[in-house]
């Protein structure tokens, strides 16, 4: 038990410092490559921080632990939306960008509805090979869509800069801000990502061991300890990004992670082995859909997620946690 606690502390330290390096490296890399930070948050950061969920769900699928495979994704998405966005917006109100409002939130909401239909309408209580292939096709489509958006945003930015840099009569020049070399940004991002993933693994493995030693059931561990543990990279990355006022990365990371958790992790896991879905998961799927719907509704009426809304999200997650502990 002492060794588990020691390794847990080391994992948390790796998570915090890794996320710090990762946010710095990613944002500087985005500027160097002229990629909008939002796109970095929705792709590189969200895919990297989803690695622990992918590892747990794919290994669970390979070992025939279907409940763990799907409950990990559902629990992680609920944690991401309610607790991570909640804590991040308590630190600094999160601005909801136009593209997030117009594209990513509706996509996330639609994917939640599709998952619910797949699990309980088209093939009740299962996710089969055809549905997994559908998710993987949606994953490729989403990545291609993000690439197209990046190209469009870069063209707009180039036009704007051309207008702003029209020859002027005054010759006053500002001293250019010294930026880190590209290779340093890449190394920072890679080291940070390695710290986040390895730290997440240490936390998950040792928290799970501690939980089992205390007599918690496997299903409860899957919905709470494992899903929270695998979401720690998203939590630390988004909180650090929020502290650094990198709002696009803070919000984009969560939304992108939730999208990739559904289309990539569930798509790949159910390709390896048909996933059986228990009837009790229906409530969790509805709560996951509700969490996406609340963010979507807020985006329709507000430009940012306010502090009181963040507090509401945290309270809702605590209520959900109490509910699943009592249920199990």
């Amino acid at each position: 038990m002492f060794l588990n606690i020691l390794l847990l502390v080391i994992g948390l330290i790796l998570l915090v410092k890794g996320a710090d390096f990762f946010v710095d490296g990613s944002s500087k890399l985005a500027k160097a490559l002229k990629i909008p930070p939002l796109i970095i948050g929705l792709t590189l950061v969200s895919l990297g921080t989803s690695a622990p969920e992918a590892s747990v769900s794919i290994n669970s699928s390979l070992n025939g632990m279907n409940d763990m495979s799907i409950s990990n994704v559902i629990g992680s998405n609920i944690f991401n939306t309610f607790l991570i966005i909640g804590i991040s917006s308590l630190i600094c109100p999160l601005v909801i960008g136009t593209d997030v409002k117009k594209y990513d939130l509706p996509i996330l909401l639609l994917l939640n509805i599709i998952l619910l239909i797949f699990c309980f309408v088209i093939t009740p209580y299962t996710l089969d090979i055809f549905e997994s292939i559908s998710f993987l096709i949606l994953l490729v489509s989403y990545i291609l869509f993000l690439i197209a958006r990046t190209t469009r945003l870069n063209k707009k930015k180039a036009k704007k800069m051309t207008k702003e840099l029209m020859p002027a009569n005054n010759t006053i020049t500002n001293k250019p801000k010294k930026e880190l070399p590209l290779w340093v940004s890449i190394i920072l991002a890679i080291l940070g990502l390695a710290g986040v993933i390895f730290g997440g693994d240490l936390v998950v493995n040792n928290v799970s061991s501690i939980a089992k030693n205390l007599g918690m059931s496997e299903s409860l561990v899957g919905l709470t300890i494992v899903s929270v543990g695998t979401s720690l990279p998203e939590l630390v990355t988004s909180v650090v990004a929020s502290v650094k006022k990198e709002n696009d990365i803070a919000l984009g990371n969560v939304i992108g992670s939730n999208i990739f958790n559904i289309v990539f992790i569930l798509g790949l896991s159910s390709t390896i082995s048909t996933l059986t879905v228990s009837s009790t998961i229906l409530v969790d799927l509805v709560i996951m859909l509700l969490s996406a719907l609340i963010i979507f509704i807020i985006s329709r009426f507000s430009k940012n997620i306010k502090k009181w809304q963040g507090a509401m999200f945290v309270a809702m997650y605590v209520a959900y946690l109490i509910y699943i502990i009592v249920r199990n």
Side-chain angles (χ1 to χ4, degrees):
M1 184 75 81
F2 174 76
L3 181 61
N4 290 137
I5 293 169
L6 179 63
L7 290 172
L8 173 62
V9 172
I10 293 169
L12 288 170
I13 292 168
L14 280 172
L15 272 173
V16 173
K17 291 312 296 177
D20 197 16
F21 286 154
F22 195 35
V23 171
D24 274 348
S26 296
S27 59
K28 286 179 173 66
L29 189 60
K31 288 171 188 173
L33 298 175
K34 297 180 181 177
I35 297 171
L38 175 62
I39 302 300
I40 289 288
L42 285 165
T43 53
L44 176 65
V45 177
S46 56
L47 267 173
T49 54
S50 287
E53 284 98 329
S55 176
V56 168
S57 289
I58 291 166
N59 280 317
S60 299
S61 184
L62 286 168
N63 293 313
M65 299 167 66
N66 290 336
D67 282 344
M68 180 74 76
S69 194
I70 193 164
S71 64
N72 173 43
V73 168
I74 295 168
S76 292
N77 278 17
I78 293 170
F79 179 88
N80 288 351
T81 307
F82 282 149
L83 200 67
I84 297 179
I85 291 179
I87 291 173
S88 298
S89 54
L90 277 171
I91 294 167
C92 177
L94 294 181
V95 177
I96 306 170
T98 306
D99 274 8
V100 170
K101 188 181 294 189
K102 192 175 178 182
Y103 302 116
D104 304 296
L105 283 172
I107 287 169
L108 178 59
L109 186 60
L110 180 62
L111 287 173
N112 275 272
I113 294 167
I114 290 170
L115 179 59
L116 197 60
I117 292 169
F118 278 176
C119 288
F120 293 99
V121 179
I122 296 177
T123 55
Y125 307 110
T126 59
L127 266 178
D128 65 16
I129 186 69
F130 300 106
E131 290 161 341
S132 67
I133 290 169
S134 300
F135 276 142
L136 293 175
I137 290 169
L138 287 170
L139 169 66
V140 173
S141 302
Y142 181 64
I143 290 171
L144 290 173
F145 173 63
L146 285 178
I147 292 168
R149 270 170 61 188
T150 305
T151 306
R152 177 178 57 82
L153 287 169
N154 280 340
K155 283 180 181 176
K156 278 188 178 179
K157 193 175 178 182
K159 283 182 183 177
K160 188 179 177 183
M161 285 180 71
T162 304
K163 286 180 183 178
E164 288 175 353
L165 295 173
M166 290 294 287
N169 289 329
N170 63 53
T171 55
I172 298 170
T173 56
N174 293 322
K175 191 178 179 181
K177 210 175 175 182
K178 196 173 181 182
E179 295 289 345
L180 285 174
L182 182 60
W183 66 271
V184 175
S185 298
I186 293 170
I187 289 173
L188 268 179
I190 291 170
L191 287 175
L193 180 58
V196 164
I197 293 170
F198 185 60
D201 279 342
L202 277 177
V203 170
V204 172
N205 293 335
N206 289 285
V207 168
S208 295
S209 296
I210 293 165
K212 284 176 183 176
N213 285 334
L214 294 174
M216 296 173 71
S217 69
E218 189 177 291
S219 59
L220 181 58
V221 169
L223 282 166
T224 55
I225 304 296
V226 176
S227 62
V228 170
T230 54
S231 290
L232 282 176
E234 285 94 335
L235 172 63
V236 180
T237 300
S238 287
V239 168
V240 170
S242 184
V243 169
K244 292 175 180 288
K245 303 292 190 288
E246 293 281 358
N247 277 358
D248 282 342
I249 287 180
L251 189 58
N253 169 44
V254 171
I255 295 166
S257 289
N258 284 6
I259 290 171
F260 283 117
N261 282 353
I262 295 171
V263 293
F264 172 57
I265 297 175
L266 284 183
L268 199 55
S269 299
S270 53
T271 302
I272 295 166
S273 170
T274 297
L275 299 181
T276 54
V277 184
S278 66
S279 56
T280 54
I281 291 292
L282 175 61
V283 177
D284 303 288
L285 277 170
V286 170
I287 291 170
M288 185 173 78
L289 173 62
L290 180 65
S291 69
L293 182 62
I294 292 169
I295 297 288
F296 177 77
I297 291 169
I298 288 172
S299 74
R300 299 296 101 183
F301 297 99
S302 177
K303 291 181 180 179
N304 58 26
I305 301 169
K306 297 173 177 62
K307 289 191 176 185
W308 71 265
Q309 291 166 332
M312 179 186 73
F313 287 159
V314 173
M316 289 174 81
Y317 184 75
V318 171
Y320 170 70
L321 200 60
I322 293 168
Y323 160 72
I324 56 174
I325 290 170
V326 172
R327 184 183 72 187
N328 279 273

